[in-house]
Amino acid sequence: MENVTTILTGGTLVTMDDSYTLIHDGAVAIRDEHIVAVGSSAEISARYRAPQVISCAGQIIMPGLVNAHTHVPMTLLRGIADDLRLDVWLMGYIMPTEREFVSPTFCRLGTSLACAEMIRGGVTTFAEMYYFEADIAAATAAAGLRAVLGQTVLKFPAPDAETYDDSLRYAREFIELWRGHPLITPAIAPHAPYSNTEETLRLCTELALEYDVPLIIHLAETKLEVEDHIKAYGQSVIRWAAAIGLFRARVLAAHCVAIDADEIRLLRKHKVAVAHNPSANLKLASGIAPVNTLLKEGVTVSIGTDGPASNNDLDMFEEMRLAALLAKIPAEDPTALPAKRALTLATRMGAQALGLGAITGSLEPGKRADIIVIDAHPTHNVPHFTVSPDAVYSRIVYAGKSTDVAHVLCNGQWLMRDRQLLTLDETALKAEAADYAARISAFLSAREEDLVSKLLAIGGELERSESFEVQVKAVLHNVSMIEELLDHPEMKVIKSIHYRQYDTYFLFDDPKKGRLRYREDDNIDENGVVRSVRSRLTFTSGDKEREYNNTILLSHSRYISDANRPLRFYREYFQPSEERELHKDRRRWHVEYKGVPFFVNVDRVSHPKLPDTYIELKSRTWSSKDAEHKAALIQEMLDILQVPATDILKDEYVEMQES
Amino acid sequence: MENVTTILTGGTLVTMDDSYTLIHDGAVAIRDEHIVAVGSSAEISARYRAPQVISCAGQIIMPGLVNAHTHVPMTLLRGIADDLRLDVWLMGYIMPTEREFVSPTFCRLGTSLACAEMIRGGVTTFAEMYYFEADIAAATAAAGLRAVLGQTVLKFPAPDAETYDDSLRYAREFIELWRGHPLITPAIAPHAPYSNTEETLRLCTELALEYDVPLIIHLAETKLEVEDHIKAYGQSVIRWAAAIGLFRARVLAAHCVAIDADEIRLLRKHKVAVAHNPSANLKLASGIAPVNTLLKEGVTVSIGTDGPASNNDLDMFEEMRLAALLAKIPAEDPTALPAKRALTLATRMGAQALGLGAITGSLEPGKRADIIVIDAHPTHNVPHFTVSPDAVYSRIVYAGKSTDVAHVLCNGQWLMRDRQLLTLDETALKAEAADYAARISAFLSAREEDLVSKLLAIGGELERSESFEVQVKAVLHNVSMIEELLDHPEMKVIKSIHYRQYDTYFLFDDPKKGRLRYREDDNIDENGVVRSVRSRLTFTSGDKEREYNNTILLSHSRYISDANRPLRFYREYFQPSEERELHKDRRRWHVEYKGVPFFVNVDRVSHPKLPDTYIELKSRTWSSKDAEHKAALIQEMLDILQVPATDILKDEYVEMQES
C-alpha cells in the first residue's frame, strides 16, 4: 500500500486523456500537488491509502475547466453597460471608468471576485490580460487558481502606464518576479494590432522570446478591424502579424472571427493557439469564429468567457455549450463540434493552448491535481442512457450547469468543498465590490446629468466658442438683393463657400440639459462636386435668449468638438429622447461690414422642405456691449437688403419644422 | 386594511407591465389565485395585511417565465442521442423508442419530471405538444403549472393513435374534458405540414375554430423543409399554410427559421404567434430565426426550449440569453434584441403568444399570481450598477441562472419555497425515470448489437434473399470470349443491362456483426445516358464460406432493403468503424444455361482502379444440394470461356483493394 494525500473515489471518471478513458466506478489518487494514479475504485483502494478518502458516488470526477481568455478585474464592471456597439461600450463606458478607477486595489478585488465565481463554476486554469498584472497574480495565487497572466501593452496611455515604455518595463519586472511560480505563468499581452504599433508589437515579441513566456493578443475580432487594418497596412490582421514576426513568440490569439482559409493555415504553420469566445462574439455582433475549420486544419483551439463586462459572467459551462451549438451554424451540420470535442477544447486542448498541456487539462498520473467533481443527477440532467459511449460528454456539455460543481481542487489544494469556498471570503468580496460599484455609478451618473461632461468623458476636444452669438434670420423674397449687399461700398467679401449641411439634433426630455447638433458639412465646388467633408458636434445650453431690436441676441454656452466618430456612436452614447433632421444648401460669405467681421448665409432648406430662401447675418462676441454694436450693424445690412421687420424669423430652422 | 393571502415584500419588483414599472423596494399582495396590488413595500404594508408575509430582501420579484414550445414527456429521452442530423436523430432514435415506450404512464412521468425542472428554473407557464395529452394535462395540473397542451395529429400512426381519425377523436375528447380548467388550456397540434396532409390540417383548423382553442404547429424549421414543400406543393410552407386556411385558427408556430420578408408580413397579417427555440435550432444546425425582423414587423414572438431530447434541458434563462445574443448576428448589430426585450418575449409577450396575455406574463393587479423570486446577488451576478435604468434586465438575462430562482408561485399556489419543491417528489420521479431509461437503454443496446434489428428499427422493409449464393469470379483476359458464352447453344439470354455501380461498404470492428453495402445502381442506356437510379442497402453476415470445386459457395444471411435515405443518414446511424468505396461499370445478362437461371456480370472496376476485366457467374438458391448442381454448371461455363483455374479470384472486389 502506498500512502497518498487524498483519494476521490466511486465517481464516473472522465479523464479527458488522449484516448478518452472513461471509468464508471473510478477513483483518483492524489499526492500533494500531483495525480499519482487513476483507475477503478477497486484498483485504487487496493494500491493506495490516504487520510482523506472522498466518496464521489453519483458524481463525475473530471479535469478542471480552462478559461482561455478573460479580463478578471473587469468583474467589477459587470453589467455596467450592455447591448451597445463595441465603440460606444468601450470608449463611452469602459475606458472612461477604467481611467478613473483602475488601480492595484481594483485589480486585486476584481481578480478575487472573479476567482470566487470561476471556482464555483469549475474553472481551475485561466488566461487573462489586463493592467497591474502583478496584483492580479498575487490575488490569483492567494485564491489558489492556475493562470497565464498577460501584462497589457498599448500604444496610448494605460491605467498602469503613461507610455508603452513604462508598460514594457512593468511587464519585464512582472515576468522576473513571477516566473517559476507553481501556479502563475507571467506573459506579455500587446492588446491588439489596432491599439499597438509595429514597434510595440516587435518589442513585446522580443520580450516573450527573451523569457520564453506566452504572448496574448486580440486578433481579427471583427470584420471592421480587418478592413481598417487592410486600409492602414495593405494586409489583413493575421497576414500582417505573421509578416512582422509576431508569431515567432508562443501566441495565444483571442477571437480570430474574421479570418479566411489561408490565414487559418498561417495560424497552424506558426502554431498560434486560438481562444474562442462565443458569448462575447455574439453579444458584440462580431460573428461566429470558424472553430470547426480551425480544428480540421489542426489549429489548437481553446474556449474563453472574455471579460465579465462583455459576457456577463465567467461560466465555462455556458461557453462550452455555446461553442458546440454555434459551430454547427457555419458548418450547416449538427455533427460539427460534438459535445466530446467541445469538452476537449475546454480541458485538454485548452491547457495546450495556454502552454500548460504537460501539467493540466486531463486526469493522468504525473499531471497536477486540477480536478472538479460535479453532480451527475440534478433534476435538469436525468435520466441517463448508456447507448452512446459519448453520452456522458453530452450530459456535461448540453445539460450541465456551473452550479452542478460540488468540489474543486487545484494543484492538489482544495478550493471548494461541498460548494463552500475555502480560500476566499465571498461575503467580504461582495461588500467591497458593492462599494466600488456605488462609486462608479456615482461617477457615471454625474456624467449622465451633464452633456458636456459626457462629451469630455469620451475624450472630445472641446472648443468653447464666444458667449454671445448675434444673429438675425429672415425670409429673402428677392434673392437678387444679396448682390446689393455684397456690392455695397462698406462691404468687403473675404471668402465665399458653398456647403450642403446635414444636421441631426439630439433633444432631451429635460430641456435644461441643452441640445446637441451633429453636423456634416459637405464643401461643394463650382461643379457641385463634394470637395471635402467635415463633421462637428455642437452643444448649446438651453439658456434663455435676449432680444435686441429685431435682432436676436443669443446668450449661451456653446461647445464645438470635431465629430470623429459616426453619428450612430453619438446616438447610442447620448441616447436622446428625440432626434430631428435638417438638410440645407448654404452659400456662406465671410465678410467685413464697416470693418467688423460677419457671416452672411443664404440657405435653402430641403429637409424638412421649407418654402423660402432665407438669409442669416451673424457674428459672435465675448462682450455684451460689443453685441449691441454688432446688432446695430446687422440692422443696417437688413435695410440694404430691404428686408421688412415682418420677414424676420425668430425660430431656428429646426423649430420651424414643428409648425 | 384589506386582508389578502400572501404578501411578497422588500424585493426589486420587475413587473414587466406595458410601462416596465420597476420598484426598487417593492411588494405584491396576493389574494387566492390573483394579484391584488403591486407597489412600494410601504404602500402595500399600509393597505394590506396577510397571514403570510415573505421578505424578498436582496431578491428580484418578477413574473414567472413562459416556455412557449416544448414536448415535456421527452424529458425521459434527454440525451438519448446527440450531435446527429435531424433525420438520424428522429427516425433512427426518437421514433423507434417512442413507438416502443410512449404510453400514458410514460407521459405522466415525463411531464412530472419536466415540471420539476421547470419550476426549479422559474417557468410558470408552458406550451407543449405530444401524445396522450390528457395524461400530460393531469400531471401538469397536479404539479400546479399553467399550460397550453396540444394533442398531436400526424398523417401516419402515432403512439396514441393508429390513424389520424383516432387522433382527432382523442383531441376532441381531450378538449371537451379539460376546457375551462383554471390551469390547462387544451389545444390541437398538427405536428407539421410535412407530417400532415391538407385534409388533416383542415380538420385540425376546424376543430380549433369549433372550440376556440389554440393550434400549435411546427412551421419552416429548416431550409430543407421549405425546399421539399415547394417541390411538393409549389409554395413555401408559410404561404401554403395561409392559402389552405390554417391561419384562420389562433396559431402558435414553432421555429419559423426559414422564412422571408413576405412570409413575415403574412404571419403578422394572420396574427400568427411565433415560438423561437434558439438552442434547438442551433443544435440541429437549422439556423437562426429572424427574431428581430419579426418583432419589427409586429409579430408576437415568444421563446421556447423545445423538447429536452433536443436541447437538452428546459432552462428558460439560457434560452432568453441565447435569444438576445443570437439576434445580434443576422442583424449585425449588438443593439438588436436587448435584454429588456428578450425578457419581454419570455414573459409578457410569451403569454400573449399563448393566448394568455390577459391573465399572466406580468405582475399587475387582476392577473393571476404567477410569480418567481430570484436571488439578486449571487457571486456570478455582482456588483450592481445604477447608471442604466435597464441594468436589472441585463442582470437577469445576461448573467442570471435558473438556479438563482428561490421561490415560485403559480395561480397563487406555492410550487417552490427556498428551492424546495412543494408539489412533486423529485427523488421518486428520478428513480422512476432511471428505471425507464434503463429499459430504453437495453432496448437500444440490443438493437445496436445487431445490424438487422437496427435496420428494422428505422422501418426498413427487409427482403431476405436465398440462403446460398453460388458464384465464381475470374479475370477475363480475352473479353471477346463473352460472345462465345452468350452464343452457346445451351445458353438463352433473357435480358441485358448496363449499370454503373457505386458501392459504399460499412465495416465494423467486430466482423461477426457482418457488413452493410450501400449501392447506387445507375442504369445506363446505349448512349451512355443514365436512365434510372436505384439505391439499395444489403446486409451480409460474416458467416464462413464453403468452397465447392473452384467455385465459391457462400452460405450467408443476406438482407436487402431499398435505401430511401441518403448515404449520409446510414453512415451516421450505423457509425461504421471503416468505410470502403467501390465504383464499377457492369454489363449484366440474365441468362438461362441448360434451363437454369444465372447472372453473368462483366465488370471493370474504376475505383479503386483494378487492372483487368472481370467476369462473374452467379446464382442463388435456398438448397445446399441445388447449390452443388449450380456450381457444376458454373464450371461448365468457365470451360466455355476458357478461363483457367489460375485466373479465378477468391476475393471480393472490396477485398482486392486491400492488397
Side-chain angles (χ1 to χ4, degrees):
Chain A
M1 294 289 273
E2 251 183 78
N3 286 316
V4 294
T5 320
T6 302
I7 294 175
L8 303 175
T9 187
T12 299
L13 194 70
V14 176
T15 64
M16 298 308 288
D17 65 12
D18 282 339
S19 32
Y20 292 93
T21 307
L22 266 184
I23 305 174
H24 282 288
D25 180 2
V28 187
I30 300 158
R31 187 183 298 119
D32 303 325
E33 66 268 37
H34 286 97
I35 295 171
V36 174
V38 298
S40 72
S41 296
E43 282 164 10
I44 297 295
S45 72
R47 282 184 52 201
Y48 300 94
R49 73 174 153 226
Q52 190 176 43
V53 178
I54 311 291
S55 164
C56 301
Q59 295 180 310
I60 292 168
I61 306 169
M62 58 180 277
L65 302 174
V66 178
N67 181 355
H69 183 71
T70 183
H71 310 284
V72 284
M74 294 182 87
T75 313
L76 289 181
L77 303 179
R78 186 201 313 272
I80 197 169
D82 289 302
D83 296 316
L84 298 172
R85 281 194 179 72
L86 179 59
D87 53 358
V88 179
W89 177 80
L90 193 65
M91 291 183 283
Y93 291 87
I94 298 300
M95 287 190 162
T97 306
E98 286 182 338
R99 272 198 295 273
E100 192 75 15
F101 288 95
V102 171
S103 66
T105 313
F106 178 100
C107 287
R108 283 183 186 240
L109 176 61
T111 301
S112 301
L113 190 61
C115 288
E117 182 180 353
M118 285 195 281
I119 294 169
R120 287 208 164 280
V123 172
T124 54
T125 299
F126 66 91
E128 91 101 48
M129 60 196 280
Y130 205 61
Y131 310 107
F132 298 110
E133 219 51 49
D135 291 282
I136 294 171
T140 303
L145 285 178
R146 194 179 300 290
V148 177
L149 304 178
Q151 170 62 28
T152 296
V153 175
L154 295 169
K155 66 183 172 189
F156 38 76
D160 60 355
E162 265 309 301
T163 68
Y164 64 78
D165 302 308
D166 293 344
S167 290
L168 283 158
R169 193 158 38 239
Y170 182 103
R172 179 179 292 274
E173 285 166 18
F174 165 61
I175 293 168
E176 292 269 7
L177 195 63
W178 283 91
R179 64 183 172 151
H181 189 277
L183 292 171
I184 306 301
T185 305
I188 182 79
H191 171 271
Y194 60 82
S195 55
N196 275 263
T197 63
E198 187 174 334
E199 190 207 354
T200 60
L201 292 177
R202 191 178 51 70
L203 293 170
C204 288
T205 308
E206 295 302 335
L207 194 69
L209 291 170
E210 180 182 343
Y211 288 99
D212 189 25
V213 295
L215 184 152
I216 307 180
I217 189 166
H218 298 100
L219 287 184
E221 181 169 358
T222 64
K223 219 161 50 181
L224 185 65
E225 174 193 337
V226 174
E227 288 166 4
D228 287 348
H229 200 88
I230 291 172
K231 273 183 216 152
Y233 296 95
Q235 257 182 324
S236 69
V237 175
I238 302 290
R239 287 186 188 85
W240 182 81
I244 66 164
L246 186 78
F247 297 157
R248 291 180 298 142
R250 292 192 280 123
V251 173
L252 174 58
H255 304 305
C256 296
V257 172
I259 56 175
D260 63 27
D262 286 343
E263 290 171 308
I264 289 173
R265 282 187 286 272
L266 265 182
L267 294 174
R268 184 197 42 196
K269 181 180 158 199
H270 293 287
K271 298 191 170 61
V272 175
V274 171
H276 172 44
N277 301 276
S279 285
N281 293 341
L282 291 182
K283 188 143 177 275
L284 290 166
S286 309
I288 301 176
V291 172
N292 216 43
T293 314
L294 283 161
L295 289 168
K296 271 194 194 146
E297 291 289 334
V299 176
T300 300
V301 180
S302 53
I303 301 175
T305 58
D306 211 341
S310 58
N311 181 311
N312 295 357
D313 55 25
L314 298 165
D315 188 331
M316 278 295 292
F317 280 82
E318 275 176 20
E319 297 308 316
M320 314 195 254
R321 175 162 44 247
L322 198 47
L325 292 177
L326 272 191
K328 304 177 193 325
I329 295 298
E332 294 190 41
D333 178 1
T335 70
L337 204 68
K340 188 176 178 176
R341 203 85 200 272
L343 188 59
T344 308
L345 269 51
T347 54
R348 190 176 74 243
M349 202 186 286
Q352 287 159 359
L354 271 57
L356 299 173
I359 63 167
T360 190
S362 60
L363 303 186
E364 298 180 68
K367 280 199 174 181
R368 305 298 160 81
D370 296 353
I371 307 178
I372 65 175
V373 177
I374 70 176
D375 291 341
H377 301 273
T379 298
H380 58 262
N381 215 343
V382 290
H384 294 183
F385 295 91
T386 54
V387 188
S388 161
D390 293 343
V392 68
Y393 305 108
S394 184
R395 284 199 287 273
I396 295 168
V397 171
Y398 290 128
K401 292 190 196 301
S402 57
T403 49
D404 296 339
V405 179
H407 311 315
V408 176
L409 289 111
C410 183
N411 211 43
Q413 186 191 4
W414 282 94
L415 304 187
M416 184 168 80
R417 183 83 186 271
D418 293 320
R419 294 185 170 77
Q420 296 300 309
L421 297 186
L422 301 172
T423 53
L424 291 161
D425 177 351
E426 267 173 314
T427 311
L429 291 174
K430 285 189 201 178
E432 286 176 56
D435 283 351
Y436 251 110
R439 278 186 283 147
I440 294 170
S441 291
F443 162 75
L444 290 173
S445 297
R447 191 188 75 168
E448 288 296 311
E449 282 163 18
D450 174 352
L451 292 177
V452 174
S453 311
K454 216 172 160 181
L455 250 177
L456 280 169
I458 52 172
E461 297 273 329
L462 292 190
E463 167 195 324
R464 185 173 182 160
S465 71
E466 294 84 344
S467 314
F468 298 101
E469 182 162 275
V470 193
Q471 121 171 8
V472 74
K473 185 190 347 263
V475 177
L476 189 66
H477 287 295
N478 185 351
V479 179
S480 64
M481 289 308 292
I482 189 71
E483 305 299 330
E484 296 286 323
L485 179 65
L486 296 174
D487 293 344
H488 191 275
E490 293 283 5
M491 186 66 87
K492 181 178 165 197
V493 173
I494 310 291
K495 192 175 165 191
S496 104
I497 317 173
H498 185 188
Y499 287 121
R500 276 199 290 267
Q501 296 182 322
Y502 301 90
D503 295 349
T504 303
Y505 286 83
F506 291 168
L507 310 184
F508 298 87
D509 277 339
D510 177 4
K512 280 200 296 254
K513 272 186 130 174
R515 61 167 62 159
L516 285 166
R517 183 186 70 200
Y518 176 92
R519 167 170 291 177
E520 181 187 316
D521 275 318
D522 290 6
N523 188 343
I524 305 297
D525 70 11
E526 56 274 18
N527 303 314
V529 175
V530 176
R531 205 155 51 187
S532 65
V533 175
R534 182 181 69 165
S535 294
R536 311 198 83 190
L537 202 64
T538 303
F539 165 79
T540 49
S541 78
D543 292 353
K544 282 262 178 298
E545 300 160 4
R546 186 154 68 84
E547 230 174 275
Y548 173 80
N549 203 0
N550 282 316
T551 308
I552 312 296
L553 178 67
L554 290 167
S555 164
H556 59 183
S557 315
R558 197 166 188 272
Y559 291 87
I560 302 175
S561 164
D562 277 339
N564 45 22
R565 302 203 175 88
L567 173 60
R568 193 251 324 138
F569 174 91
Y570 298 107
R571 174 182 297 134
E572 291 174 19
Y573 179 62
F574 287 105
Q575 305 199 357
S577 53
E578 193 191 334
E579 269 184 55
R580 292 202 199 141
E581 292 283 316
L582 188 79
H583 303 170
K584 63 175 173 298
D585 183 281
R586 165 165 289 178
R587 290 183 179 271
R588 154 170 280 207
W589 290 267
H590 295 220
V591 300
E592 284 177 13
Y593 179 70
K594 293 188 173 172
V596 176
F598 286 93
F599 297 107
V600 177
N601 298 332
V602 175
D603 295 337
R604 292 201 60 93
V605 179
S606 58
H607 177 83
K609 183 80 186 159
L610 296 182
D612 298 303
T613 300
Y614 304 93
I615 187 154
E616 283 190 338
L617 303 170
K618 57 170 79 176
S619 188
R620 293 201 192 92
T621 178
W622 291 102
S623 145
S624 175
K625 184 113 193 120
D626 185 44
E628 296 196 5
H629 171 58
K630 286 179 169 162
L633 293 175
I634 284 178
Q635 187 55 59
E636 289 181 26
M637 288 189 275
L638 286 175
D639 294 342
I640 296 166
L641 288 163
Q642 299 179 9
V643 171
T646 48
D647 280 352
I648 289 179
L649 300 167
K650 302 273 168 72
D651 284 337
E652 287 188 51
Y653 293 128
V654 72
E655 258 95 28
M656 289 163 73
Q657 71 183 110
E658 273 183 336
S659 58
Chain B
M1 295 288 272
E2 253 184 78
N3 286 317
V4 294
T5 321
T6 302
I7 293 174
L8 304 175
T9 187
T12 299
L13 194 69
V14 176
T15 65
M16 297 308 288
D17 66 14
D18 283 338
S19 32
Y20 292 94
T21 306
L22 266 184
I23 304 174
H24 282 288
D25 178 3
V28 187
I30 301 157
R31 186 183 300 118
D32 304 324
E33 66 269 36
H34 285 98
I35 294 171
V36 174
V38 298
S40 71
S41 296
E43 282 164 10
I44 297 296
S45 72
R47 281 185 51 202
Y48 300 95
R49 73 173 152 224
Q52 191 177 41
V53 178
I54 312 291
S55 164
C56 301
Q59 296 179 309
I60 293 168
I61 307 169
M62 57 179 278
L65 301 174
V66 178
N67 182 355
H69 183 71
T70 184
H71 311 284
V72 284
M74 295 183 87
T75 312
L76 290 181
L77 304 178
R78 186 201 314 271
I80 196 168
D82 290 301
D83 295 317
L84 298 171
R85 279 195 180 71
L86 179 60
D87 54 358
V88 180
W89 178 80
L90 193 65
M91 291 181 282
Y93 291 88
I94 297 299
M95 287 190 162
T97 306
E98 286 182 339
R99 272 197 295 274
E100 193 74 16
F101 288 95
V102 170
S103 67
T105 314
F106 178 99
C107 287
R108 281 181 189 242
L109 176 61
T111 300
S112 300
L113 190 61
C115 288
E117 182 181 351
M118 285 194 282
I119 294 168
R120 286 206 166 281
V123 172
T124 53
T125 299
F126 65 92
E128 91 102 49
M129 59 195 282
Y130 205 61
Y131 311 107
F132 299 109
E133 218 53 49
D135 292 282
I136 294 172
T140 302
L145 285 178
R146 193 179 302 289
V148 177
L149 304 177
Q151 171 62 27
T152 297
V153 176
L154 296 169
K155 66 183 173 189
F156 38 76
D160 60 354
E162 265 308 300
T163 68
Y164 65 77
D165 302 308
D166 293 344
S167 288
L168 283 158
R169 193 158 39 241
Y170 182 103
R172 179 179 293 275
E173 284 166 18
F174 165 61
I175 293 168
E176 291 270 6
L177 195 63
W178 284 91
R179 64 184 172 151
H181 189 277
L183 292 172
I184 306 301
T185 306
I188 182 78
H191 171 269
Y194 60 82
S195 55
N196 275 265
T197 62
E198 187 173 334
E199 189 206 356
T200 60
L201 291 177
R202 190 180 48 73
L203 292 169
C204 288
T205 308
E206 294 302 335
L207 194 69
L209 290 170
E210 181 183 343
Y211 288 100
D212 189 25
V213 296
L215 185 152
I216 308 180
I217 189 166
H218 298 101
L219 288 183
E221 181 169 359
T222 64
K223 219 161 51 182
L224 185 67
E225 175 192 337
V226 174
E227 288 166 5
D228 287 348
H229 200 90
I230 291 171
K231 273 184 216 153
Y233 296 95
Q235 255 182 323
S236 69
V237 175
I238 302 289
R239 287 186 189 86
W240 183 80
I244 67 165
L246 185 79
F247 297 157
R248 291 181 297 142
R250 291 191 280 124
V251 173
L252 174 59
H255 304 305
C256 297
V257 172
I259 56 174
D260 62 27
D262 284 344
E263 290 171 309
I264 290 173
R265 281 187 287 270
L266 264 181
L267 293 173
R268 184 197 42 197
K269 180 181 157 197
H270 293 288
K271 297 193 172 60
V272 175
V274 170
H276 172 45
N277 300 275
S279 285
N281 293 340
L282 291 182
K283 187 141 177 277
L284 291 166
S286 310
I288 301 175
V291 172
N292 216 44
T293 315
L294 284 161
L295 288 169
K296 270 193 196 148
E297 290 290 334
V299 177
T300 301
V301 181
S302 53
I303 301 175
T305 58
D306 211 342
S310 58
N311 181 311
N312 295 353
D313 55 24
L314 298 164
D315 188 330
M316 278 295 292
F317 280 82
E318 275 177 20
E319 297 307 318
M320 302 196 265
R321 174 162 45 247
L322 198 48
L325 291 178
L326 273 191
K328 303 178 194 324
I329 294 298
E332 295 189 41
D333 177 2
T335 70
L337 204 68
K340 186 176 179 176
R341 204 85 202 271
L343 187 59
T344 307
L345 269 51
T347 54
R348 191 176 72 243
M349 203 186 285
Q352 287 159 0
L354 271 58
L356 298 173
I359 64 168
T360 189
S362 59
L363 304 186
E364 297 179 68
K367 282 199 174 182
R368 305 298 159 83
D370 296 354
I371 306 177
I372 65 175
V373 178
I374 70 176
D375 291 342
H377 300 274
T379 298
H380 59 262
N381 216 344
V382 291
H384 295 183
F385 295 90
T386 54
V387 187
S388 161
D390 293 344
V392 67
Y393 306 108
S394 184
R395 284 198 288 272
I396 295 168
V397 170
Y398 290 128
K401 292 188 195 303
S402 57
T403 49
D404 296 339
V405 179
H407 311 316
V408 176
L409 290 110
C410 183
N411 211 44
Q413 185 190 5
W414 283 93
L415 304 187
M416 184 166 81
R417 182 83 185 270
D418 293 320
R419 294 185 170 75
Q420 296 301 309
L421 296 186
L422 302 172
T423 53
L424 292 161
D425 178 351
E426 266 175 313
T427 310
L429 290 174
K430 284 189 200 180
E432 288 175 55
D435 283 350
Y436 251 110
R439 278 185 283 147
I440 293 171
S441 291
F443 162 75
L444 290 173
S445 297
R447 192 189 74 167
E448 288 296 312
E449 281 163 17
D450 175 352
L451 292 177
V452 174
S453 311
K454 217 173 157 178
L455 250 178
L456 280 168
I458 52 172
E461 296 275 328
L462 293 191
E463 167 194 324
R464 184 172 183 163
S465 71
E466 295 84 345
S467 313
F468 298 101
E469 180 161 277
V470 192
Q471 118 170 12
V472 74
K473 182 187 356 257
V475 177
L476 189 67
H477 287 297
N478 185 349
V479 180
S480 64
M481 290 308 292
I482 190 72
E483 305 299 329
E484 296 287 322
L485 179 67
L486 297 175
D487 293 344
H488 191 276
E490 293 284 4
M491 186 65 87
K492 181 177 165 199
V493 174
I494 310 291
K495 191 176 165 191
S496 103
I497 317 173
H498 184 190
Y499 287 120
R500 276 200 289 267
Q501 296 183 321
Y502 302 90
D503 294 351
T504 303
Y505 286 82
F506 291 168
L507 311 184
F508 298 87
D509 278 337
D510 177 3
K512 281 198 297 251
K513 274 187 126 174
R515 61 167 63 159
L516 284 166
R517 185 186 69 201
Y518 176 93
R519 167 170 290 176
E520 182 186 316
D521 276 320
D522 289 6
N523 189 343
I524 306 297
D525 70 12
E526 57 275 14
N527 303 315
V529 175
V530 176
R531 205 156 50 188
S532 66
V533 175
R534 182 181 69 165
S535 294
R536 311 199 82 189
L537 202 64
T538 303
F539 164 79
T540 50
S541 79
D543 292 353
K544 282 263 174 298
E545 300 161 1
R546 186 156 68 86
E547 228 173 277
Y548 172 82
N549 202 2
N550 282 317
T551 306
I552 311 296
L553 179 68
L554 290 166
S555 165
H556 60 184
S557 314
R558 197 166 188 276
Y559 292 87
I560 301 174
S561 164
D562 278 339
N564 46 22
R565 301 205 176 87
L567 173 61
R568 193 252 324 138
F569 174 91
Y570 298 108
R571 175 182 297 134
E572 290 174 20
Y573 179 60
F574 287 106
Q575 305 200 357
S577 53
E578 193 191 334
E579 268 184 57
R580 292 200 199 142
E581 292 283 316
L582 189 80
H583 303 169
K584 63 176 174 296
D585 182 282
R586 165 167 287 180
R587 289 181 181 272
R588 154 171 282 205
W589 291 267
H590 296 220
V591 301
E592 283 177 12
Y593 177 70
K594 295 186 172 173
V596 177
F598 286 94
F599 297 107
V600 177
N601 298 331
V602 175
D603 296 337
R604 292 201 59 93
V605 179
S606 58
H607 176 84
K609 183 81 185 156
L610 296 182
D612 298 304
T613 298
Y614 304 92
I615 187 154
E616 284 190 338
L617 303 170
K618 56 171 78 179
S619 188
R620 294 201 191 94
T621 177
W622 291 102
S623 146
S624 173
K625 185 112 192 121
D626 184 44
E628 298 195 5
H629 171 58
K630 286 181 169 161
L633 294 176
I634 284 178
Q635 186 55 57
E636 290 181 26
M637 288 189 276
L638 285 175
D639 294 341
I640 297 166
L641 287 163
Q642 301 179 5
V643 170
T646 48
D647 279 352
I648 288 180
L649 300 166
K650 303 271 168 72
D651 285 337
E652 288 189 50
Y653 294 128
V654 73
E655 258 93 32
M656 289 164 70
Q657 70 183 109
E658 275 184 336
S659 58

